[in-house]
Amino acid sequence: MTEKSPQDEPSGPQAGPEARPPEAQDLAGDLSQDLARASETSARLPVGLERLAETAKDYARGAKADNTNRAYAADWRHYAGWSRRRGFAPLPPDPQVIGLYLAACASERGMGARGEPLSVRSIERRLSALAWQFAQRGQKLDRSDRHIAEVMAGIRRKHGRPPEQKEAVLAEDLLAMLATLDHSLRGLRDRAILLFGFAGGLRRSEIVGLDCGPGQTEDGCGFVAIEAKGALVQVKGKTGWREVEIGRGSSEATCPVAAIELWLKFARISHGPLFRRVGGTKVAADRLIDKHVARLVQKTALAAGVRGDLSEGERKRKFAGHSLRAGLASSAEVDERYVQKQLGHASAEMTRRYQRRRDKFRVNLTKAAGL
């Protein structure tokens, strides 16, 4: 019997594909219905085309990450509900109505999850979600229309702020967080998650999406190959596939590869998802959800007293899965190019956003100019 802790449980009914709303399931339009309408002589598609239509829909569903699909579906439901309550039809897209919706998102309370107006970044994502959802229904949204473009320009000008960054978990912080974990099966798993996520600079979705080997599950986004000098991770992230090298540590206690080996040994895992739910001494077959990583970082950071100068609420907001990536970028004293490659960033500028304690004035153009 597996454990049902809030850290390991799926977050509500929306976590399963069967519970997704129709707009999330039909990511590329209902191809089978389109083909059926084109066939005037048959009430049903030929078997070959029916199967091909289902295959095409499966590919279309996989075009975006599950988290993106869920977010886009939630954004569409919010917009459709807002439109109907105000007497507007969600379809076809009306730039004036969408401009009003964007203004409401920026200025009215209750538009976001915390009861506050949305941030500029969240509004931009909602606009992208609407454009994508309209496209799936065969209707184009002109984002350059003045009713949309000028409203968005005003929102950015008035409400735009630098992005709020998650606190970096530095190496010394990580050691203190590891010390809060026991040596149970769950403790071994969580120790491996923290060490592997930190050393690999992995996103939380990439951590829980790992398998023990290639092609072992349909929902996996990467796999691990353990070698004498470390572990090679093939991971499919936002920018496509990349290879991540995770070398062995200077001691067994802090070695991410040794932590993985220990977890696999005592969990008796050799195939399928790498990180799974644990109940007592039993290991489930299904993989963890990515929210577990964020909760784990928050919980252990609080328990270890990291950033004890802040209130508990502030610390909860500042620590999440991205804290591990920021921690590696800030702690590794190597050429920036290697950090950029490990994190899978397309530009050095993006990597610098993760470096919380880099020498920001190493290049002094004031003195270089002669002042």
Side-chain angles (χ1 to χ4, degrees):
M1 184 173 177
T2 57
E3 172 189 22
K4 295 184 181 296
S5 73
Q7 295 161 340
D8 286 350
E9 283 298 307
S11 56
Q14 72 273 20
E18 68 280 1
R20 292 180 187 169
E23 58 266 29
Q25 296 174 12
D26 187 14
L27 301 180
D30 196 337
L31 299 179
S32 59
Q33 287 186 12
D34 290 344
L35 287 170
R37 284 194 294 268
S39 175
E40 298 178 356
T41 59
S42 175
R44 182 180 177 185
L45 288 170
V47 174
L49 285 181
E50 194 173 66
R51 290 176 180 170
L52 190 58
E54 289 301 318
T55 301
K57 286 198 292 183
D58 288 340
Y59 282 130
R61 291 186 189 103
K64 294 186 181 296
D66 286 344
N67 286 344
T68 302
N69 290 330
R70 283 192 289 267
Y72 277 17
D75 290 342
W76 175 258
R77 290 196 303 273
H78 189 276
Y79 167 71
W82 179 91
S83 298
R84 293 188 182 102
R85 286 193 299 273
R86 284 155 182 79
F88 301 126
L91 291 168
D94 185 334
Q96 288 183 287
V97 172
I98 293 171
L100 291 174
Y101 174 71
L102 298 176
C105 287
S107 62
E108 295 182 358
R109 298 178 64 86
M111 297 300 282
R114 296 178 182 174
E116 298 292 330
L118 292 179
S119 66
V120 174
R121 186 175 179 183
S122 294
I123 295 171
E124 288 174 335
R125 192 206 68 195
R126 283 201 177 175
L127 181 56
S128 296
L130 294 182
W132 186 84
Q133 291 281 6
F134 284 128
Q136 304 318 300
R137 290 158 174 78
Q139 302 187 37
K140 182 179 179 181
L141 174 64
D142 183 7
R143 296 170 65 170
S144 64
D145 184 283
R146 63 186 180 87
H147 295 98
I148 297 175
E150 292 185 9
V151 169
M152 275 308 307
I155 290 173
R156 292 188 187 101
R157 184 177 180 84
K158 184 173 182 178
H159 300 292
R161 292 179 179 84
E164 183 179 349
Q165 294 181 318
K166 295 299 181 183
E167 190 79 12
V169 168
L170 304 177
E172 55 267 30
D173 300 327
L174 183 62
L175 295 179
M177 290 160 63
L178 294 174
T180 69
L181 299 173
D182 59 26
H183 296 285
S184 64
L185 262 180
R186 181 187 286 185
L188 292 177
R189 179 201 64 190
D190 289 346
R191 179 181 300 272
I193 288 174
L194 291 175
L195 282 167
F196 217 64
F198 179 91
L202 301 172
R203 299 176 178 90
R204 66 185 193 180
S205 59
E206 294 171 345
I207 296 172
V208 300
L210 292 174
D211 290 338
C212 296
Q216 293 183 350
T217 65
E218 291 185 1
D219 62 339
C221 71
F223 58 91
V224 178
I226 297 178
E227 301 183 358
K229 293 184 178 181
L232 283 179
V233 181
Q234 300 289 344
V235 62
K236 181 173 60 177
K238 290 184 176 181
T239 57
W241 285 93
R242 75 181 192 276
E243 183 178 80
V244 177
E245 297 179 6
I246 299 180
R248 292 186 180 271
S250 54
S251 72
E252 287 288 307
T254 61
C255 176
V257 184
I260 287 290
E261 290 175 323
L262 204 60
W263 157 245
L264 291 176
K265 176 183 176 182
F266 285 96
R268 297 180 180 179
I269 297 173
S270 59
H271 188 276
L274 185 63
F275 294 117
R276 311 177 184 191
R277 292 189 299 114
V278 173
T281 59
K282 299 287 183 67
V283 179
D286 52 317
R287 72 176 73 250
L288 286 175
I289 60 172
D290 61 356
K291 287 184 179 179
H292 174 80
V293 179
R295 292 167 182 159
L296 173 63
V297 173
Q298 289 174 346
K299 182 184 72 173
T300 53
L302 285 170
V306 180
R307 287 303 308 269
D309 56 309
L310 301 176
S311 69
E312 183 172 327
E314 288 177 311
R315 291 158 74 195
K316 282 184 177 179
R317 288 194 299 272
K318 282 186 171 291
F319 288 99
H322 254 57
S323 297
L324 298 176
R325 282 167 64 80
L328 176 70
S330 303
S331 301
E333 298 181 357
V334 295
D335 191 299
E336 193 176 76
R337 293 173 299 170
Y338 297 109
V339 179
Q340 180 182 342
K341 180 178 182 295
Q342 190 83 340
L343 270 61
H345 289 153
S347 68
E349 179 60 31
M350 178 59 72
T351 302
R352 293 188 191 107
R353 295 182 190 178
Y354 283 73
Q355 295 173 323
R356 305 293 192 261
R357 63 179 187 184
R358 65 184 175 87
D359 185 359
K360 297 179 181 178
F361 297 100
R362 182 173 56 85
V363 178
N364 189 327
L365 292 181
T366 306
K367 290 182 178 180
L371 298 178

